[in-house]
């Protein structure tokens, strides 16, 4: 895959995976359990909505009234007094989240029923119970859940404007949604929706008439909805509207059409129409837009209304007039809590929102169209596609650290935007999948892609290196060597330099074609031995070859292989020269080891990958020393490895041309060379003569060297030191001489 197209391809794949995850139950659960609380936390508490009030049936009121803490045991006449007071102060609708299921003394229920009839705007809550029921008469079939509505006592139910349930899950399930219509019970409206429809009682009849006129095919003209509301009740009328309209008029054009047919002029009327049409035509549940922790909504204790001080009448009237009043137990401390539900605003001390607070919240959400609206699937998919593209365009081109920083900025910007539309438009954007999972997936995918690409490039580089270095060395140094793209690298190497004595003469005598054939045979011998012993040829010029045994650190085995390769070259060349005496190429070899630079040498667009450093020059000087000593194979002491199938003879300490530090040199010999008649020369006489030479005992050294030549007349080192002893005897070196021999060019 090309590097330029990789972000596009992977962004598409990641986006598709994100869309699938977001649409799956797991994705929905992640956004509800993690994303939604995060957005609420970023937003914080919102301003309490206007037009609603909670009358708190609290412990303080119980104490003032002299009643038990449990409000179900209170004298219901106190609720009648509350209704009278609320009507006196101008409450628009009174919603009781207190269940009056048990029949009380006749006088209590009658008094409360009479107060509700006078008010004409009281809504009572129903309890929704779920019971296990056997499917077969003989009770052998599988059981199923049956939902049952438990209404207040008959006299109270008949006196109320409407009855409605408000089902919510219990702890530990977090409340995120609330039903607007309970489809499992025939699309019965829930308490907040009934409160919304009742919030403008004067508009109800007109609203029903407008619905029938605007959407005549949905309603029976012979049974007007307003008449149904009078005969069967408001809830039944609402249920029929829900069943008939479904989601038909939920679009803005339906609202506009209804507005025109009803001749709606005021903003309040338009808001009411929009709220009702969206409630009837929307989903059967909404995501609750909580305003804040417990006690965020305007709340006054019940005793303050019932036992109002005349001096407090004006303030109470201002607080209650034209409000939808919810009556219930809104606890303010954990110890008092009886009716709590776990929400995103559950306090750290465990205090939950009460049922009456959630009911008032849902009512305000529906009325103000401020309930949370998840982003449509199509827009979510488009957003994920764009987000995945941005994430991949960040993660793939940039290195890991800058990419991580850029992604953090991207996530912060995304959270800021999500928080803004959440607070300002009640629009719930997903944040966990696009701002947590997708960035992580894109970042990790980019890291994996870069790793695999780097690994592939590394293999390519290894193949390139194998043109210069043996396979095992390539594998060892390529772990931290990217010489193709990053340049030079210091390595440790055993270096071999060879030089053919008769090359110049041969090149003058032979035609180029013949010279080429001879040199190919010659280099075939050299290259074969180098490769056989694990080395690599890095350079050759004319009759000179440079071979290398590299490693990341000093390696005894590689040094031994270099020495063995050098001996192998001389042995095979001896046979070659004997078979081709007229084209013989006697060869001298120098060995040295140490750290050197493997790098690209050259300029102006032409480079050669070659070794650079003092080690190379020193190897060349050692090779040249062979000519002075009359030897074929010399090596520095740093390169010598004893006991590896060859023998060595110390040649002494030499200060080579252009060097500032002396170096100890050894001759490498095959084992069979020092096992014949001349063995004493190599093992006894020459070493003794070398010690006498270093001790400035020139005469004794000459005598010993002469003995060496008697036994081995062609021993070059003995000839060299014999001449040197004679020269030093005529002109001794300085008194500070340490046995080092200065070698000129």
């Amino acid at each position: 895959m090309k590097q330029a197209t990789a972000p596009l391809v992977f962004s598409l794949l990641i986006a598709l995976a994100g869309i699938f995850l977001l649409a799956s139950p797991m994705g929905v659960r992640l956004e509800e359990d993690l994303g939604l609380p995060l957005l609420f936390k970023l937003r914080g508490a919102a301003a309490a909505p206007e037009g609603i009030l909670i009358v708190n049936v609290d412990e303080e009121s119980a104490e003032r009234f002299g009643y038990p803490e449990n409000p179900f045991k209170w004298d219901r006449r106190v609720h009648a007094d509350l209704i009278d007071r609320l009507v006196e102060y101008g409450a628009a609708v009174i919603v009781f989240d207190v269940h009056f299921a048990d029949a009380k003394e006749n006088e209590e229920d009658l008094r409360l029923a009479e107060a509700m009839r006078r008010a004409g705007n009281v809504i009572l809550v129903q309890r929704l119970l779920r019971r296990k029921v056997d499917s077969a008469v003989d009770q052998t079939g599988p059981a199923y859940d049956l939902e049952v509505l438990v209404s207040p006592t008959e006299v109270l139910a008949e006196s109320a404007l409407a009855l409605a349930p408000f089902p919510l899950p219990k702890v530990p399930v977090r409340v995120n949604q609330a039903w607007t219509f309970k489809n499992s019970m025939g699309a019965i409206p829930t308490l907040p929706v009934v409160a919304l429809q009742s919030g403008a009682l004067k508009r109800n009849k007109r609203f029903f008439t407008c619905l029938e006129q605007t959407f005549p095919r949905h309603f029976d003209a012979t049974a007007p909805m307003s008449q149904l509301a009078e005969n069967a009740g408001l809830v039944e009328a609402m249920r029929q509207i829900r069943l008939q309209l479904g989601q038909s008029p939920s679009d803005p054009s339906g609202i506009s059409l209804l507005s025109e047919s009803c001749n709606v002029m005021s903003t309040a009327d338009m808001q009411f129409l929009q709220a009702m049409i969206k409630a009837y035509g929307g989903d059967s549940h909404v995501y609750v837009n909580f305003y804040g922790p417990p006690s965020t909504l305007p709340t006054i204790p019940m005793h303050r209304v019932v036992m109002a001080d005349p001096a407090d009448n004006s303030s109470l009237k201002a607080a209650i007039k034209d409000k939808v009043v919810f009556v219930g137990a809104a606890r303010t401390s954990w110890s008092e809590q009886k009716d709590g539900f776990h929400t995103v605003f559950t306090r750290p001390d465990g205090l939950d929102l009460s049922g009456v607070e959630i009911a008032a919240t849902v009512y305000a959400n529906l009325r103000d169209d401020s309930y949370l609206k998840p982003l449509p699937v199509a827009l979510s998919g488009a957003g994920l596609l764009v987000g995945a593209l941005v994430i991949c365009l960040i993660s793939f081109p940039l290195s890991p650290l800058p990419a991580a920083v850029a992604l953090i900025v991207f996530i912060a910007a995304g959270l800021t935007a999500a928080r803004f539309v959440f607070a300002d438009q009640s629009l719930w954007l997903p944040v966990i999948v696009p701002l947590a999972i997708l960035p992580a997936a894109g970042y990790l995918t980019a890291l994996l892609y870069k790793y695999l690409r780097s690994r592939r490039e590394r293999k390519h580089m290894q193949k390139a290196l194998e043109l210069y270095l043996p396979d095992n060395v390539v594998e060892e140094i390529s772990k931290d060597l990217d010489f193709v793209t990053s340049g030079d690298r210091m390595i440790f190497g055993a270096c071999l330099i060879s030089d053919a004595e008769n090359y110049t003469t041969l090149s003058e005598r032979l035609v180029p074609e013949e010279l080429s054939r001879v040199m190919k045979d010659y280099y075939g011998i050299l290259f074969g031995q180098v490769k056989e012993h694990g080395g690599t040829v890095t350079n050759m010029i004319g009759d000179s070859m440079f071979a290398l045994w590299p490693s990341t650190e000093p390696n005894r085995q590689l040094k031994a292989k270099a020495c063995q390769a050098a001996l192998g070259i001389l042995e095979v060349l001896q046979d070659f020269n004997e078979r081709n005496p007229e084209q013989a190429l006697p060869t001298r070899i120098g060995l040295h080891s140490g750290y050197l630079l493997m790098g690209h040498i050259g300029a102006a667009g032409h480079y050669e990958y070659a070794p650079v450093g003092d080690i190379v020059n020193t190897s060349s000087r050692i090779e040249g020393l062979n000519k002075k000593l009359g030897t074929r194979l010399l090596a520095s002491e740093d390169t010598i490895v004893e006991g590896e199938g060859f023998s060595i003879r110390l040649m002494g300490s030499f200060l080579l041309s252009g060097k500032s530090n002396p170096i100890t040199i050894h001759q490498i010999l095959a084992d069979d060379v020092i096992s014949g008649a001349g063995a004493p020369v190599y093992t006894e006489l020459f070493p003794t003569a070398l010690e006498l030479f270093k001790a400035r005992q020139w005469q004794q050294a000459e005598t010993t060297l002469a003995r060496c030549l008697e036994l081995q007349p062609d021993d070059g080192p003995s000839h060299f030191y014999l001449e040197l002893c004679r020269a030093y005897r005529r002109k001794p070196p300085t008194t500070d001489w340490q046995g080092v021999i200065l070698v000129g060019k």
Side-chain angles (χ1 to χ4, degrees), residues 288-350:
V288 185
N289 190 356
F290 295 101
Y291 298 102
S295 301
T296 296
L297 300 179
T299 305
I300 59 175
M302 182 175 174
H303 71 84
R304 184 183 167 196
V305 179
V306 175
M307 306 172 67
D309 190 321
D312 200 21
N313 281 342
S314 59
S315 62
L316 283 173
K317 186 172 183 179
I320 296 172
K321 185 174 177 58
D322 297 328
K323 301 290 195 309
V324 174
V325 179
F326 288 82
V327 182
R331 302 310 187 189
T332 57
S333 70
W334 179 82
S335 61
E336 302 172 355
Q337 187 164 272
K338 298 293 189 297
D339 183 32
F341 295 87
H342 187 55
T343 69
V344 292
F345 280 111
T346 292
R347 288 195 333 203
D349 63 0

Side-chain angles (χ1 to χ4, degrees), residues 174-212:
R174 178 189 294 144
V175 175
N176 291 321
Q177 304 180 60
W179 281 288
T180 54
F181 289 88
K182 201 71 171 67
N183 291 338
S184 61
M185 301 200 69
I188 187 172
T190 60
L191 194 65
V193 184
V194 175
L196 180 64
Q197 181 71 73
S198 304
L201 293 175
K202 296 177 181 178
R203 299 189 184 100
N204 277 348
K205 186 173 182 179
R206 182 182 178 187
F207 173 73
F208 295 148
T209 303
C210 289
L211 276 177
E212 292 163 347

Side-chain angles (χ1 to χ4, degrees), residues 556 560 564 640-648 671:
R556 172 186 173 91
Q564 292 164 355
I640 293 300
V641 179
E642 297 188 64
E644 294 292 343
F646 52 84
S647 300
I648 58 173
D671 288 337

Side-chain angles (χ1 to χ4, degrees), residues 1 451-461:
M1 186 183 300
Y451 167 75
L452 294 177
R453 188 183 67 191
S454 175
R455 186 177 178 183
R456 184 176 65 251
E457 290 176 352
R458 180 178 167 187
K459 287 183 178 179
H460 292 166
M461 287 187 287

